[in-house]
Amino acid sequence: MAAASPAFGAPRRHFRIVDSTNERARELAAAGAPCGTVVTASEQTAGRGRRGRQWTAPPGKAVLFSAVLSPLDARHALLPLAVPLAVCEAVESLAPVRCQVKWPNDVWVDERKLAGVLIEAQPPAWAVIGVGLNVSIEPQEFPDDLRQPATSIGNGVSTEEALAALCERLDEWVEADRDRLLAEFRERDALRGRGIGWVGAGSENQAGSGVADGIDERGNLVVVSSEGERLSLGSGEVTLSSIE
Ligand code: BTN
């Protein structure tokens, strides 16, 4: 069956408190929930981040969002790039900021993390698009042990306003063609030209360091290693260990 054009946000299931919206959306997706179904929560007790990390946010101060996209087809190959671009445009429609994407899919404002994306998929049946978007978290409310400093939209924006903007921009970016996605990602690439370290590359899980040089046609991160080698790093594979 060809994928329908999604209209994210309907139906919507909202929890005051839930373990993980991604977990609930996965269950709904596996049970055949329609494309565009959204799960939100005011609070999560077991919010998941990438690489098995936790994701926490004070109640009511972040968009905690998971959406069902189904079925998947070739158009969704760059979904991990499309989602942060939607977040960037949603935020910029609400506040006078410029967002960048730290490959593969963190959204940054002024070098601080504003949003994270966790996509969990069972291709070709479905993907769950998880977004944690900080809306009104005060600086002192972020945990001290964050790997990188975090920020919020602020500007008097409510979580419902941010959710509506996110759904609207996702409708468009999830359907965007490859050339447009790559071009927009390159405009917002926070890493290009910066020194980075990584772990987990290749069959031997190599660590390395070098300079980021954009993304290739498949959305992989291109780096020039300290040894002068040009490498393509896949997001399912490597973890960035440092950024200079
Ligand atoms: C990351 O940057 O590590 C990704 C964070 C993704 C967090 C969101 S919050 C809503 C959704 N439910 C989850 O359990 N995780 C995602």
Side-chain angles (χ1 to χ4, degrees):
M1 193 189 13
S5 290
F8 290 104
R12 175 181 172 197
R13 180 123 194 239
H14 179 76
F15 293 88
R16 192 182 63 75
I17 184 161
V18 72
D19 51 357
S20 155
T21 56
N22 262 36
E23 196 54 42
R24 298 295 131 231
R26 286 179 66 119
E27 286 176 5
L28 291 172
C35 182
T37 299
V38 161
V39 179
T40 55
S42 302
E43 186 177 357
Q44 293 183 125
T45 55
R48 294 206 287 264
R50 294 181 69 236
R51 309 251 162 232
R53 296 185 193 114
Q54 274 193 320
W55 181 271
T56 59
K61 297 195 167 188
V63 173
L64 305 172
F65 168 97
S66 301
V68 175
L69 178 65
S70 63
L72 301 175
D73 61 33
R75 290 175 307 161
H76 303 125
L78 294 180
L79 187 62
L81 306 190
V83 176
L85 295 178
V87 176
C88 288
E89 287 195 353
V91 171
E92 289 174 3
S93 74
L94 298 167
V97 292
R98 171 77 182 160
C99 297
Q100 289 189 295
V101 185
K102 188 204 126 198
W103 180 90
N105 48 29
D106 284 354
V107 175
W108 277 9
V109 170
D110 295 334
E111 301 281 314
R112 290 172 179 266
K113 182 163 171 169
L114 177 69
V117 174
L118 176 67
I119 297 174
E120 299 178 300
Q122 202 152 104
W126 53 260
V128 163
I129 299 168
V131 177
L133 169 59
N134 301 331
V135 176
S136 55
I137 306 176
E138 298 295 333
Q140 68 275 10
E141 293 181 292
F142 289 110
D144 294 333
D145 58 350
L146 285 183
R147 294 170 77 243
Q148 57 198 106
T151 191
S152 280
I153 303 176
N155 207 41
V157 172
S158 71
T159 53
E160 287 299 308
E161 287 169 326
L163 172 69
L166 174 61
C167 287
E168 197 222 305
R169 302 319 299 151
L170 265 181
D171 289 348
E172 184 178 326
W173 278 106
V174 160
E175 297 291 290
D177 69 41
R178 168 179 294 264
D179 289 349
R180 184 166 170 232
L181 272 169
L182 292 171
E184 183 65 14
F185 194 96
R186 287 170 178 143
E187 286 291 313
R188 294 187 183 273
D189 185 350
L191 292 183
R192 192 178 195 115
R194 295 178 73 163
I196 59 168
W198 60 86
V199 289
S203 55
E204 287 162 22
N205 282 336
Q206 289 134 336
S209 62
V211 175
D213 194 25
I215 54 166
D216 67 15
E217 297 297 299
R218 288 180 300 154
N220 292 331
L221 182 69
V222 178
V223 294
V224 179
S225 75
S226 313
E227 294 77 34
E229 201 181 352
R230 204 171 171 76
L231 304 170
S232 257
L233 306 179
S235 64
E237 188 192 15
V238 298
T239 306
L240 298 185
S241 55
S242 59
I243 299 166
E244 289 154 20

Coordinates of all heavy atoms in Angstrom, one line a residue, residues 20-22 44 46-50 53 55 63-66 106 113 115-118 130-132, ligand 1:
S20 N 6.7 6.4 28.6 CA 7.3 7.0 27.5 C 6.3 7.1 26.4 O 5.6 6.1 26.0 CB 8.5 6.1 27.1 OG 8.8 6.3 25.7
T21 N 6.2 8.3 25.8 CA 5.2 8.5 24.7 C 5.7 7.6 23.5 O 4.8 7.1 22.8 CB 5.1 9.9 24.3 OG1 6.4 10.4 23.9 CG2 4.5 10.8 25.4
N22 N 7.0 7.4 23.3 CA 7.4 6.5 22.2 C 6.9 5.1 22.5 O 6.5 4.4 21.5 CB 8.9 6.5 22.1 CG 9.4 7.4 21.1 OD1 8.9 8.5 20.9 ND2 10.5 7.0 20.4
Q44 N 6.9 12.4 31.6 CA 7.2 11.0 31.4 C 8.1 10.5 32.6 O 8.9 11.2 33.1 CB 8.1 10.9 30.1 CG 7.4 11.2 28.8 CD 8.3 11.0 27.6 OE1 8.0 10.3 26.7 NE2 9.5 11.7 27.6
A46 N 9.8 7.5 32.2 CA 10.9 6.7 31.6 C 11.1 7.1 30.2 O 11.1 6.3 29.2 CB 10.5 5.2 31.6
G47 N 11.2 8.5 30.0 CA 11.5 9.0 28.7 C 12.8 8.5 28.1 O 13.8 8.5 28.8
R48 N 12.8 8.2 26.9 CA 14.0 7.6 26.3 C 14.7 8.6 25.4 O 14.0 9.3 24.6 CB 13.6 6.4 25.4 CG 13.0 5.2 26.2 CD 13.2 3.9 25.4 NE 12.3 3.8 24.3 CZ 11.2 3.1 24.3 NH1 10.7 2.6 25.4 NH2 10.5 3.0 23.2
G49 N 16.0 8.6 25.4 CA 16.8 9.3 24.5 C 17.5 8.4 23.6 O 17.3 7.2 23.7
R50 N 18.3 8.9 22.7 CA 19.1 8.1 21.8 C 20.2 7.3 22.6 O 20.6 7.8 23.7 CB 19.8 8.9 20.7 CG 18.7 9.6 19.8 CD 19.4 10.4 18.7 NE 20.1 9.5 17.7 CZ 21.4 9.6 17.4 NH1 22.1 10.6 18.0 NH2 22.0 8.8 16.6
R53 N 20.0 6.5 26.4 CA 20.0 7.5 27.4 C 18.6 7.8 27.9 O 17.6 7.5 27.2 CB 20.6 8.8 26.9 CG 22.1 8.6 26.5 CD 22.7 9.9 26.1 NE 24.0 9.6 25.4 CZ 24.3 9.8 24.2 NH1 23.4 10.4 23.4 NH2 25.4 9.5 23.7
W55 N 15.6 10.6 29.0 CA 15.2 12.0 28.6 C 14.3 12.5 29.7 O 13.2 11.9 29.9 CB 14.5 12.0 27.2 CG 14.1 13.3 26.8 CD1 12.9 14.0 27.1 CD2 14.9 14.2 26.0 NE1 12.9 15.2 26.5 CE2 14.1 15.4 25.9 CE3 16.1 14.2 25.5 CZ2 14.6 16.5 25.2 CZ3 16.6 15.3 24.7 CH2 15.8 16.4 24.6
V63 N 7.4 19.8 25.0 CA 6.6 19.0 24.2 C 7.2 17.6 24.2 O 8.3 17.4 23.8 CB 6.5 19.5 22.7 CG1 5.8 18.5 21.8 CG2 5.9 20.9 22.6
L64 N 6.4 16.7 24.7 CA 6.8 15.3 24.7 C 5.9 14.6 23.7 O 4.7 14.3 24.0 CB 6.7 14.7 26.1 CG 7.4 15.5 27.2 CD1 7.0 15.0 28.6 CD2 8.9 15.5 27.0
F65 N 6.4 14.2 22.6 CA 5.6 13.9 21.4 C 6.1 12.7 20.7 O 7.3 12.5 20.5 CB 5.8 15.1 20.5 CG 5.3 15.0 19.1 CD1 4.1 15.5 18.7 CD2 6.1 14.4 18.1 CE1 3.6 15.4 17.4 CE2 5.7 14.3 16.8 CZ 4.4 14.8 16.4
S66 N 5.2 11.8 20.3 CA 5.5 10.7 19.5 C 4.4 10.5 18.5 O 3.2 10.5 18.8 CB 5.6 9.4 20.4 OG 6.6 9.5 21.3
D106 N 19.8 16.4 16.5 CA 19.6 17.3 17.6 C 19.4 18.7 17.1 O 20.0 19.2 16.1 CB 20.9 17.4 18.5 CG 21.1 16.2 19.4 OD1 20.2 15.4 19.4 OD2 22.1 16.2 20.1
K113 N 21.3 22.7 23.3 CA 20.3 21.7 22.7 C 18.9 22.1 23.1 O 18.6 22.3 24.3 CB 20.7 20.3 23.2 CG 19.7 19.3 22.7 CD 20.3 17.9 22.9 CE 19.3 16.8 22.6 NZ 19.9 15.4 22.5
A115 N 16.1 20.6 21.3 CA 15.2 19.4 21.1 C 16.1 18.2 20.7 O 17.1 18.3 20.1 CB 14.2 19.7 20.0
G116 N 15.5 17.0 21.0 CA 16.1 15.8 20.6 C 15.1 14.9 19.9 O 13.9 15.1 20.1
V117 N 15.5 14.1 19.0 CA 14.7 13.2 18.2 C 15.1 11.8 18.4 O 16.2 11.4 18.3 CB 14.8 13.6 16.7 CG1 14.0 12.7 15.8 CG2 14.3 15.1 16.5
L118 N 14.1 10.9 18.6 CA 14.3 9.5 18.7 C 13.3 8.8 17.8 O 12.1 8.8 18.1 CB 14.1 9.0 20.2 CG 14.3 7.5 20.4 CD1 15.7 7.0 20.1 CD2 13.9 7.1 21.8
G130 N 9.7 10.3 17.7 CA 9.7 10.9 19.0 C 10.5 12.2 19.1 O 11.6 12.3 18.6
V131 N 9.8 13.2 19.6 CA 10.5 14.5 19.8 C 10.3 15.0 21.2 O 9.2 15.0 21.7 CB 9.9 15.6 18.8 CG1 10.5 16.9 19.0 CG2 10.0 15.1 17.4
G132 N 11.4 15.4 21.8 CA 11.4 16.1 23.1 C 11.8 17.5 22.8 O 13.0 17.8 22.4
Ligands
BTN1 C1 17.8 12.4 22.2 O1 18.2 13.5 22.0 O2 18.5 11.6 22.8 C2 16.4 12.0 21.8 C3 15.4 12.4 22.9 C4 13.9 12.1 22.5 C5 13.0 12.3 23.6 C6 11.6 12.2 23.3 S1 10.5 12.8 24.5 C7 9.1 12.2 23.7 C8 9.5 10.8 23.1 N1 9.3 9.8 24.1 C9 10.4 9.2 24.5 O3 10.5 8.3 25.4 N2 11.5 9.8 23.9 C10 11.0 10.8 23.0

